Amino acid sequence: MRDPTHDILFEPVQLGPVTAPNRFYQVPHCSGMGWRRPRMLAEMRGMKAEGGWGVVNTEYCSIHPTSDNDYFAYCALWDDSDVRAHRLMTEAVHAHGALAGVELWHGGGMIVNHATRLPPLGLRSLPQIDDREVQPGQTRTMDLSDITDLRRWHRDAALRAIEAGFDIVYVYATHGYLLAQFLDAATNTRTDQYGGTLENRVRLVRELIEDTREAVAGRAAVACRFSVGLEDAESYDAFGLLADLPDLWDLTVPDYDVEMSNSRFVKQGALTASVARAKAMTSRPVVAVGRFTDPDMMARVIRDGTQDMIGAARPSIADPFLPVKIREGRSAEIRECIGCNICYAHDSQGVPIRCTQNPTMGEEWRMGWHPERLPPAPWPVRILVVGGGPAGLEAARALGARGHEVMLAEAKREMGGRVTLEAALPGLSEWARVRDWRLGQIEKLETVSLYPESRIAPEDLEEMSIDHLIVATGARWADDTIGRNSPGGLITVDPGMIVSANDILAGRSVDAQHIAIYDDDHYYHGSVLALALRKAGHEVTLVTPAGRACEWGTFTQEQYASNSALVAAGVRIVTNRILTHVEDGSVRLTCLFGGEDVELACDAVLPVTRRIPDRALYDAVRSTDHGLQSVTLIGDAEAPGLIAAAVYSGHRVAMELGEDVDLAARYGRRETSV
């Protein structure tokens, strides 16, 4: 039975001429699908509506070819073909009683129009300003006729939105795009009626809200996405000039590193104080995000008057059925977002989003996967899964839910594998949700038995009477420096100076004052290990061949915060250097660009370069006449990578066990056809 304190979350909310069936609101979020993959997009958004989200929005949707952000797969409403594509989404969302919203967008100086090759529009002739994707080229300065054109393009897109079946139409005035550039005194140096005073800088946003309201003519609500922040007093002055103009406010904060930060640095509900101040200034409903996963906190911010609707992007990706689970009193079953930003990272690379917690995300259309319903096995079999890390736990859970008899053997006392080890490091405690949710689901399955402290040898299999063996034995960090930039490893080495990352992860102490970390992995591992060692009292230097520490963190929105944390902790960072020699209490660092080698005195070296798959059991069984129907290697034991990849691997084997899969036909499925 549902907790009565959560009832408030299921009250309908009037949004101008339309009514949201509840307070759960999937805000616009990127998907890596956009105009290129409309069927994939429709299935993904429709799944959110099926899961109980009362409002489901698109990602940013271009109003005109002068706003083209290829290589990212954004949405568009340029012509009738776009209208038809969006109808796939609106129909999928409406089928479950939810409202569909579209975020109309013009990129301005943030983009360079890769595909259309039209000159980008901006307030001044400046280089493209998105520091995550630095590109050559500058904007063309907008004159008054361009602003007139922009208003027409926005109105035309709003009319197409109505034709496509949308119930909410956005004016998008944040995140550094064109309208945000008009609002910002630093970027808006115009001397006409659209620049100078705050009233003038707000003018275009006001006009577009009014234009959009006139265009939709009561057939849809008009929303505005806008930034307010306690550290930016003028943002509230600007908000006050527009406070009751739209039907709905979608509020965020000016600092994207707060709104979209990795959970290493920002926790649940970080926007509430900034949003509450603006909420007190308007009579219109307010929605805001905060990576909300706790229904008690959701209900509290509604009761406290902080906001009217619970906005979510990442939590709706990790668990599309979060609202249904709260409604049905199953809050303990919520697949909570861990804030790793793997979803964001893949859209940032121009491919469909995926999720560490939810392996079905992005596969609703291509694979037909559902996050809550797994097809029953045509004939149940007996399966042994060896390894209780993220891949093994997901495989056991999904196989058991399909009706197979599953035994999961883990060599250690505690389940979780790498997730358990990494969750103990600074800032990564939420990683443990990957383990805990799966253990909670397995506990409900009579078909799955867990056997901790059970190391399996090939000879043990004969007496188990199993049909299939799935090996998920993980991987360990290598003690050499072989990796991306050091294919041959060290030229000379004193083995006594090498410290294993596996020892640090296991919590073992290190007898060395100054430790040099050689990070050729470029994700969070080197940075987090450096912080752990500093916390333990060591002097730490992080050496990387990359231009910055945590280089891949630019995709997960954690690179800046990660480097700031290293600097604040007193970690010395050495970039663009390859570690080549380790001996006599020092290391030699070679410049990538041909400069002179430098020596760094240290007591130990910790390589973070690659992981070695543990294939011993798999290879031993495969080399014998094992008599099993199949022997499958999954997760890091197959190919070390992201935790998300390991979870996906476990789900995939559960869905395909016993099938003869044509990889090209299944995984090569695309929406393009001739």
Side-chain angles (χ1 to χ4, degrees), residues 454-512:
S454 299
R455 189 174 296 277
I456 301 296
E459 56 269 22
D460 298 328
L461 303 179
E462 295 182 11
E463 58 191 55
M464 290 186 172
S465 302
I466 59 172
D467 302 301
H468 298 269
L469 172 65
I470 296 173
V471 180
T473 41
R476 59 179 177 81
W477 285 99
D479 294 338
D480 55 41
T481 63
I482 294 173
R484 288 180 174 84
N485 291 279
S486 305
L490 292 166
I491 297 172
T492 59
V493 58
D494 175 359
M497 287 185 64
I498 301 298
V499 173
S500 173
N502 304 301
D503 290 336
I504 309 302
L505 285 164
R508 302 186 186 99
S509 60
V510 179
D511 185 17

Side-chain angles (χ1 to χ4, degrees), residues 276-354:
R277 179 174 170 184
K279 167 63 179 166
M281 298 171 63
T282 179
S283 64
R284 304 304 193 191
V286 168
V287 62
V289 298
R291 202 166 58 81
F292 295 111
T293 61
D294 178 1
D296 292 334
M297 178 177 279
M298 297 178 200
R300 185 165 62 251
V301 298
I302 300 298
R303 284 196 301 269
D304 291 350
T306 299
Q307 57 199 74
D308 299 286
M309 304 187 80
I310 300 299
R314 290 171 289 177
S316 75
I317 294 168
D319 197 337
F321 278 68
L322 179 150
V324 164
K325 291 175 181 177
I326 298 174
R327 186 183 69 207
E328 296 177 353
R330 298 187 291 121
S331 297
E333 295 184 24
I334 294 172
R335 192 189 288 108
E336 290 185 277
C337 171
I338 70 170
C340 62
N341 284 1
I342 288 300
C343 52
Y344 183 73
H346 286 83
D347 169 76
S348 296
Q349 296 177 92
V351 296
I353 58 172
R354 63 236 24 213

